[in-house]
Amino acid sequence: FAKRAGPQSRRPARGRQRAGSLPENEAGERGGARCYGVRMAIPELFKARKPVISFEFFPPKTDAGYRALFETIEELSPLSPGYVSITMGAGGSTREKTVDLTIEITKKLGLVTMAHLPCTGFRPHEIGTILDQLQAGGVHDVLALRGDPPRDDPSFTIPKDGFQYASQLVEYIADRIVV
C-alpha cells in the first residue's frame, strides 16, 4: 500500500503476459503480490491447493450490532478460518466500520483479514487514506471492487477524479505496493 518515491522506483513497463501468469520480480520469482516486502497471506493459502474456509461479514450500522458481531467472530475464531473478509456498503456507506472491524479482528483475534474496497464514490486520496489506515492496522489484503452506487441517492455521480472501473483501482493500489 505504501507509495513509491522517485523515478528509480517506477514499475517496469508491462509486457504482454499469458493470461493467468504473473511477472517475475527482481529475484526471478513468480508469485502473488507483495506488500511491504512480505508475501500477502491470502494468495499463499490458495497456493497450498487445500480447501480454504473463509467467513464474510457485513458491518452492522449500530454500535451494539458491531459489538455483537465482533463477539460472534471471536466465538467463530477457534474454527481457524483461512481468512475473514469484511464487506463495505454501497458507495462506501460503511467505510469507517469496515476499516475499524477489519483492523480490530486483525489485532485482537490474530485472524488474517481482507477488507472489501469498492472504488465507486471514492476519490484517489480517499482510497489512499483507507489503504494507509489498513496498513497501519496490520491489514495487508484488500478485495478491490467497483462496487454499487448508493441505492438511496438517485443523484449519485462518480466524482470527476474518481475511479470509473475496478481496474483503475487495482492499478492505483499496484502503484502503492513496495516490492
Side-chain angles (χ1 to χ4, degrees):
F1 302 160
K3 264 191 178 170
R4 295 182 221 182
Q8 72 280 6
S9 64
R10 293 180 193 248
R11 278 188 296 155
R14 292 185 181 172
R16 288 197 173 270
Q17 297 177 24
R18 198 183 65 200
S21 71
L22 296 169
E24 290 184 3
N25 63 20
E26 286 92 29
E29 303 170 301
R30 288 191 188 277
R34 289 181 179 264
C35 189
Y36 319 111
V38 178
R39 281 202 181 273
M40 295 173 76
I42 294 174
E44 292 299 313
L45 293 172
F46 288 97
K47 284 183 180 179
R49 302 220 181 262
K50 294 181 181 177
V52 176
I53 305 296
S54 67
F55 299 131
E56 180 173 290
F57 300 102
F58 184 86
K61 293 181 181 180
T62 67
D63 290 340
Y66 181 100
R67 288 285 116 226
L69 176 59
F70 186 81
E71 289 172 13
T72 300
I73 296 168
E74 191 171 27
E75 291 170 8
L76 291 170
S77 67
L79 297 174
S80 300
Y83 64 95
V84 174
S85 70
I86 309 300
T87 65
M88 191 177 292
S93 61
T94 62
R95 170 191 169 167
E96 286 182 33
K97 290 196 184 312
T98 295
V99 171
D100 292 346
L101 184 58
T102 305
I103 291 170
E104 187 174 5
I105 293 167
T106 301
K107 287 185 169 184
K108 292 185 178 175
L109 302 180
L111 296 174
V112 173
T113 57
M114 175 177 62
H116 289 214
L117 185 58
C119 64
T120 299
F122 287 113
R123 291 179 163 85
H125 74 275
E126 294 169 316
I127 293 290
T129 298
I130 293 169
L131 292 171
D132 292 343
Q133 291 171 321
L134 291 169
Q135 177 199 359
V139 178
H140 300 285
D141 293 289
V142 296
L143 178 59
L145 306 160
R146 179 180 180 275
D148 297 320
R151 288 184 188 164
D152 58 351
D153 185 0
S155 63
F156 175 84
T157 57
I158 294 172
K160 289 186 194 284
D161 62 341
F163 301 98
Q164 188 92 21
Y165 305 103
S167 59
Q168 295 167 323
L169 175 60
V170 169
E171 181 76 22
Y172 178 81
I173 294 169
D175 285 341
R176 295 173 56 94
I177 295 176
V178 175
V179 182

